Amino acid sequence: MKSIFSTVVVCLLLTGTYAQPPESYYDNTVGESGYQLKTTLYNIIKGHKKKTYDELWGFFDLTDMKGDTLWDMYSFPPLVGKPNPYYYGYQVTQCGTYKMEGDCYNREHSFPASWFGATKNKKPKPMYTDLFHIYPTDGYVNSKRSNYPFGNADKTELYASQNGSKLGYSSTNKELGKDIIVFEPIDEYKGDFARTYFYMATRYQNKIASWNTNSLYAGQVLDGTDTTVYQQWYLDLLLGWHKKDPVSQKEVDRNNAVYLIQNNRNPFIDSANFVQRIWGN
């Protein structure tokens, strides 16, 4: 049954037109701005088709392939002059255990699961299985990222992956009055993750206001509201990443693929202008 579904999805993606949003998908957003627009987008994309955590393994070949290997934004492409140590065949090199980069890939909650209250015995749905923020990533690099916020690591590096993603200290958050540890992806993917976070702020605006108390790191980023959602230092960071790294074909293709699986979309990939209309100044 799964193979039939995969074949259908691939055929639809190849035809292109079927993967785009319906013509009237965003009609209700015309003339809106600010948090009114955000609420309208929430009503459009809420209630998506929920999947199980195990099912996610079977969707990555539709959402995250780069040729014949999975597209890992934490480790690909390798730095210039360095060989690519990774080859993640679909459902072949799943973690499992790992000792170093390149051993295996796993299902990374780019918006950490602990931030929305997930624990070993509690996996809140639909956040825990929402493909829009779950990416295949190298298991070892993912363990280094842990639950730290994304950010600009502008001080001493604690770790750097093969493609230049790094864990380090950032003094960007002046409100805390101290350096914090952040994980910085390479420039090529900063906009991808920023638009992922704008999606999370919108898709879960009915829940996200209380998440800032779930963990230390969530408290460093979230402001306890369902409007701005992020503290000002983090909102500035995301807006900067969004502007400097525009929507790529990779994001467009992934958005279309996830739409066929979950029946909702990331509006900020479909129209980057939505970001400015809601959070811009």
Side-chain angles (χ1 to χ4, degrees), residues 51-93:
K51 303 301 177 182
T52 68
Y53 195 50
D54 286 341
E55 283 181 303
L56 300 186
W57 292 121
F59 293 130
F60 287 149
D61 67 321
L62 307 174
T63 60
D64 292 277
M65 293 300 291
K66 176 71 171 175
D68 59 355
T69 186
L70 288 166
W71 198 326
D72 170 16
M73 293 192 287
Y74 285 3
S75 63
F76 182 89
L79 292 171
V80 175
K82 287 192 174 183
N84 183 8
Y86 309 103
Y87 175 82
Y88 295 137
Y90 167 59
Q91 291 193 346
V92 175
T93 45

Side-chain angles (χ1 to χ4, degrees), residues 4 11 18 31 34 38 46 53 71 108 123 136 164 198 204:
I4 295 174
C11 290
Y18 292 97
K38 181 169 172 287
K46 68 180 182 180
Y53 195 50
W71 198 326
E108 158 71 327
K123 297 172 178 152
F198 289 130
Y204 299 105

Side-chain angles (χ1 to χ4, degrees), residues 1-10 51 55 58-59 61-62 90:
M1 187 67 183
K2 173 64 173 61
S3 61
I4 295 174
F5 173 79
S6 299
T7 302
V8 171
V9 171
V10 170
K51 303 301 177 182
E55 283 181 303
F59 293 130
D61 67 321
L62 307 174
Y90 167 59

Side-chain angles (χ1 to χ4, degrees), residues 85-244:
Y86 309 103
Y87 175 82
Y88 295 137
Y90 167 59
Q91 291 193 346
V92 175
T93 45
Q94 298 171 357
C95 295
T97 59
Y98 45 81
K99 295 181 179 179
M100 61 183 185
E101 288 185 51
D103 281 349
C104 59
Y105 73 93
N106 60 15
R107 299 157 290 186
E108 158 71 327
H109 293 86
S110 61
F111 190 103
S114 63
W115 292 13
F116 51 77
T119 62
K120 183 177 181 180
N121 297 317
K122 181 182 177 183
K123 297 172 178 152
K125 291 184 178 179
M127 299 83 72
Y128 196 78
T129 61
D130 189 336
L131 273 166
F132 275 116
H133 80 111
I134 300 175
Y135 299 93
T137 62
D138 180 88
Y140 187 81
V141 181
N142 185 19
S143 70
K144 293 294 186 181
R145 187 266 164 123
S146 186
N147 296 321
Y148 295 117
F150 288 130
N152 295 317
D154 52 14
K155 288 195 173 184
T156 305
E157 292 179 13
L158 301 174
Y159 170 79
S161 75
Q162 292 283 348
N163 81 337
S165 297
K166 55 189 177 181
L167 188 71
Y169 291 96
S170 171
S171 57
T172 304
N173 187 347
K174 304 299 183 184
E175 296 178 11
L176 287 179
K178 62 180 180 180
D179 295 345
I180 63 172
I181 297 176
V182 296
F183 183 85
E184 180 178 357
I186 61 174
D187 292 347
E188 182 176 342
Y189 304 127
K190 285 178 177 175
D192 302 51
F193 288 120
R195 287 177 282 276
T196 296
Y197 273 51
F198 289 130
Y199 167 86
M200 293 297 288
T202 304
R203 170 61 185 87
Y204 299 105
Q205 79 164 29
N206 63 322
K207 302 175 182 288
I208 204 166
S210 63
W211 292 355
N212 65 317
T213 60
N214 284 334
S215 75
L216 169 66
Y217 306 122
Q220 292 174 345
V221 166
L222 302 174
D223 72 352
T225 74
D226 61 7
T227 51
T228 52
V229 176
Y230 301 110
Q231 294 188 34
Q232 190 61 50
W233 78 274
Y234 207 70
L235 187 56
D236 291 342
L237 176 89
L238 295 176
L239 288 169
W241 284 9
H242 167 70
K243 182 177 180 180
K244 291 178 181 178

